[in-house]
Amino acid sequence: MTALPAPTSTPAPTPRPLTVGFDLDMTLIDSRPGIHAAYRALSAETGVAIDADLAVTRLGPPLDEELAHWFPADRIAEMGDRYREIYPAHAIAPTLLMAGAREAVAAVQALGGRAIVVTAKHEPNAKLHLAHLGVEPDAVIGWLWAEAKAEALREHGASVYVGDHTGDVRGARTAGALSVAVPTGPCDEEELRAAGAEVVLPDLLAFPEWLRSYVATTT
C-alpha cells in the first residue's frame, strides 16, 4: 500500500509592521503664519491683491485651488511655481508645531512602527518644515490630495491615516485605512464624522494613548 504524503503546513503570513500616515498642514504643523507671509510676499511681488487672512482659513486642498481665487487660469501654473520658489524664505521660520505632533510621530515609532507624512504640499517644502521643527518621520510623500493620498498609503501599507480635513478622510477610506481625524484645521468634528472619519480625537495630544489602545486590541 502506497503511503500518503505527509500533509504540509502553510506558514502563517508575516504580519505587516504598523504604519501610520499623517497629514501635514494643520495636523502636524500650524503653517498659517508661514503661508500668510508667503502669500503677502507673492502679492507684493505681483501687485495682485491676495487676502492672506482668508486664504489661511481654507488650508488643505492643493495650492492651485487657492491661487485660482486670485489669478486668471493662464497664470496659475506660473504663480504656483513662483510661490513654491519663495516659500522657504518666508514660510519655514514662522510655522509652528501643532500640540502633540512630535509625540504622535514618536508614539508610532516607539511601538516599532513607521510614521509617514502624506501631504498635498510641495514635497521639498514639506521636508524643510519637518527638519526645521525637529520631527523625523520615516518617509515624506508630497503632491497628493484627498483620494490621491491613497496611492502612498497603499504603497507604504498604512493601516491608519491621521488628518484634519474631509479630504484626508476620503484619502484614508479610499486606501482602506482607518481614518483618524483631529478638528484642528478648517473642518469641525461634525464635518469630519459626516465625511466618514471613524475616530475623532480633540488633538494630537490624545493620539499616543489612543494608538496604544488601538494596537493592543488589533494585535
Side-chain angles (χ1 to χ4, degrees), residues 25 49 83 118 153 160 173 177 192 200:
D25 291 294
Y83 174 93
V118 183
L153 296 173
V160 176
R173 293 177 66 84
L192 294 166
V200 179

Side-chain angles (χ1 to χ4, degrees), residues 75-140:
R75 295 198 69 196
I76 290 175
E78 173 197 355
M79 290 300 99
D81 288 343
R82 183 57 185 151
Y83 174 93
R84 286 183 282 268
E85 287 173 359
I86 66 175
Y87 188 95
H90 297 278
I92 301 302
T95 290
L96 308 170
L97 200 62
M98 296 294 284
R102 188 179 290 108
E103 294 81 359
V105 170
V108 177
Q109 295 166 335
L111 291 170
R114 299 179 71 248
I116 66 172
V117 173
V118 183
T119 174
K121 189 179 289 297
H122 183 48
E123 189 173 305
N125 288 340
K127 290 178 176 178
L128 287 175
H129 275 303
L130 293 164
H132 179 75
L133 293 168
V135 180
E136 299 181 355
D138 297 281
V140 179

